Amino acid sequence: MLLSAVAGFTLWTEVRTSHDVAMRFQEALDRAGLIGRIRVDAISLESAIEAHIRATDDSERQAANEVMEDILADVREASHEYTRTLPREDTLVVWQRFNQACNRLAEQVRAAALLSNRQEAERARHHLVAQVRPVAEEIDGLAGQLTKENADESRMLLSHLASLRARNLGFGGGVTLVAMLVSLVVGLHITSVLGRQDATIQAQMKELDRRNQELDAFTQRVAHDLMGPLSPLKGYLTLLRRSGAVKDAQALELVSLSESSAVRMGELIEALLRFCRSGTRGERMVGELDTAVTTLLLEVSQTAAAQGVALERDVSAGVKVACPSQLLQLIAQNLLSNAVKYTAGRPEARVSVRVGREGGEAVLEVSDNGVGMSEDTQGKLFQPFFRAPETRGIPGHGLGLATTRRLVEAHEGTLLLRSTPGAGTRVTVRFPLAAEAAPAVLGVG
C-alpha cells in the first residue's frame, strides 16, 4: 500500500508539472505568434501608406484609410493579448519600448495619411521615408529582442521541468526505498512471529498427542484389567445359577440380575476398548465398502425383520476405500444397529442403506424414519457415554457413534448427521476413493 501511495504521488506530481510546463510553452508560442503578427502589421502599414500616397482619387484614399485602421486595430489587439500572458513583470521593459514604438508608428502613419489627404504627395513620401520607416525598423529590432526573451523563457522552462522531474524522481526513489526497507523489516518480523507461533503450536500438538496416547494407553490398561476379574465372575454366576444350589426364588433372581449386570459391564468395557483403539490408524490397507455393508446386512436383516423394520438397500459394486474391511463392517454395524434399534416400534418403520460414488468419494448413507433427535442432542451426540434424552429407555452405552466418528476420521473420512425429532435421522459417511487394494486386513479387537 505504501508503494502504491508513492507511485500515485509521483504520477500526480509528474502530471501536474507537465501540465504547468505545457501551459507555459503554449503561452510562449502564443506570444511568438503575436510578435509575428505585429511585425507583419508594421510592414503592412508601410504598404498601406504607400498605397494611400499613390491614390488618385478620394475613393482610393478612403479604401487605404480603412486598411490602415484595420491594421492598427490588429496591432492594438495583439498588444493587449501579449501583455495579458506575460509571465513576469521584468519582461515589460522591452515590451514597453516595443509598445511605445508601435504607438509612434501609428501616429506617423496617420500623419503621412493626413499629408496624402491634402494631396501633398511629395511631403507624404518624405514623411514615410524619414519618420515611418525608421520607426518600423525600430519595431522590427525590438520584436527580435522580444523573440529572444521568449526563447530564453522557453529554455528556462525546459531546465525547470528537468529539475522538477529529477527532484520528483529522487523523492519517489527515496520513498520507495524506505517503503521497501519498512516492508522488509515488517515481513521479517511477521515471519519470525509466525515461526515462533508455528514452533509453539507444533510443540503443543506433540504434547497433546503424547498425552492423548498416554490417556488411551491408560484407558486400555484399565479396561483390560477390569476384564480380567470380570470374566471369571460372569462364569461363576452362570455356574451358580445353573447348579441348582440356590433354591430360594428371590436369591435366584438376584443371581440372574448380577449375571446380567456383569454381561453389560463386559460389553461396556469392550466398547471402551474399541473406542480407545479407533483413533489410531494402523497400516494403510484398502477394503471394499460395498462388500462390508452387504455382509453386515445379512446379519442385521434378521434382527430388523424380527423387530418389524423394513430394510431398503442401494449398493453399488466395487467401491474401494483406504480402510480395512473389518473396520468398515464395524462402522456399518454401529450405524445400522442404531437405525434399526431407534426405528423399531414406529409406524411403517423403515431403514434405507445406500453405498455409491460421488465426485471422487465413496459414500455410505443410512437413513431411517425413527424417533429423531433435537438440535441440542445432535450437538452432544459424539461425546463419549452421552445418551440422548429421546433414547433413555432403549439399551445402549453411548460409545457407538463416538467410536464410529473416530474410526472414520482416522481414515481421512467425514461423518455428517442430520436429524429431525419425530421424523428420523440421516447419517452420511464419506471416504476418499482408493485405486488399489492391499492384501492384509487389520481389525479392532
Side-chain angles (χ1 to χ4, degrees), residues 230 233-234 237 256-267:
L230 186 62
L233 176 61
K234 289 191 295 182
L237 290 173
S256 299
L257 290 175
S258 299
E259 184 183 3
S260 300
S261 298
V263 171
R264 286 197 302 273
M265 178 172 287
E267 293 174 350

Side-chain angles (χ1 to χ4, degrees), residues 296-307 309 311 313 336 340:
L296 188 68
L297 282 172
L298 296 176
E299 301 176 7
V300 176
S301 58
Q302 298 179 2
T303 304
Q307 297 183 2
V309 179
L311 278 179
R313 65 194 72 187
L336 284 171
V340 171

Side-chain angles (χ1 to χ4, degrees), residues 66 72 93 97 143 156 179-180 184 189 194 210 254 273-274 304 307 353 363 389 400 435:
E66 292 177 356
L72 291 172
V93 176
R97 292 170 56 195
M156 184 183 69
M180 291 177 64
L184 180 61
H189 178 69
L194 291 178
R210 185 184 65 80
L254 291 175
L273 284 171
R274 286 195 298 270
Q307 297 183 2
V353 183
V363 179

Side-chain angles (χ1 to χ4, degrees), residues 150-211:
N150 201 43
D152 292 341
E153 179 75 18
S154 298
R155 283 192 293 272
M156 184 183 69
L157 286 174
L158 285 174
S159 177
H160 182 63
L161 175 61
S163 175
L164 285 177
R165 283 179 173 170
R167 185 182 65 184
N168 291 339
L169 181 61
F171 177 76
V175 175
T176 301
L177 180 60
V178 171
M180 291 177 64
L181 290 175
V182 171
S183 300
L184 180 61
V185 171
V186 172
L188 290 174
H189 178 69
I190 292 176
T191 302
S192 176
V193 171
L194 291 178
R196 291 196 299 270
Q197 289 181 346
D198 183 66
T200 302
I201 292 173
Q202 292 298 328
Q204 291 175 346
M205 291 294 292
K206 289 181 179 179
E207 179 65 17
L208 180 61
D209 184 61
R210 185 184 65 80
R211 293 188 179 184

Side-chain angles (χ1 to χ4, degrees), residues 168-342:
N168 291 339
L169 181 61
F171 177 76
V175 175
T176 301
L177 180 60
V178 171
M180 291 177 64
L181 290 175
V182 171
S183 300
L184 180 61
V185 171
V186 172
L188 290 174
H189 178 69
I190 292 176
T191 302
S192 176
V193 171
L194 291 178
R196 291 196 299 270
Q197 289 181 346
D198 183 66
T200 302
I201 292 173
Q202 292 298 328
Q204 291 175 346
M205 291 294 292
K206 289 181 179 179
E207 179 65 17
L208 180 61
D209 184 61
R210 185 184 65 80
R211 293 188 179 184
N212 284 336
Q213 291 179 1
E214 290 180 353
L215 180 60
D216 286 346
F218 173 75
T219 306
Q220 292 184 49
R221 181 60 182 272
V222 169
H224 184 271
D225 291 345
L226 288 175
M227 285 295 291
L230 186 62
S231 296
L233 176 61
K234 289 191 295 182
Y236 295 152
L237 290 173
T238 301
L239 289 175
L240 180 62
R241 177 175 56 81
R242 293 176 179 177
S243 65
V246 180
K247 303 298 183 179
D248 184 71
Q250 186 175 3
L252 188 60
E253 182 180 358
L254 291 175
V255 170
S256 299
L257 290 175
S258 299
E259 184 183 3
S260 300
S261 298
V263 171
R264 286 197 302 273
M265 178 172 287
E267 293 174 350
L268 178 60
I269 293 172
E270 289 178 357
L272 182 59
L273 284 171
R274 286 195 298 270
F275 175 76
C276 293
R277 295 167 182 167
S278 63
T280 303
R281 179 172 182 165
E283 184 180 353
R284 187 180 185 89
M285 287 164 287
V286 175
E288 292 187 350
L289 181 60
D290 55 298
T291 302
V293 172
T294 302
T295 301
L296 188 68
L297 282 172
L298 296 176
E299 301 176 7
V300 176
S301 58
Q302 298 179 2
T303 304
Q307 297 183 2
V309 179
L311 278 179
E312 299 176 356
R313 65 194 72 187
D314 178 13
V315 180
S316 300
V319 182
K320 297 180 180 181
V321 298
C323 182
S325 297
Q326 291 184 4
L327 298 185
L328 292 175
Q329 290 183 15
L330 179 59
I331 293 170
Q333 181 183 19
N334 287 336
L335 297 181
L336 284 171
S337 61
N338 277 351
V340 171
K341 179 167 54 176
Y342 298 125

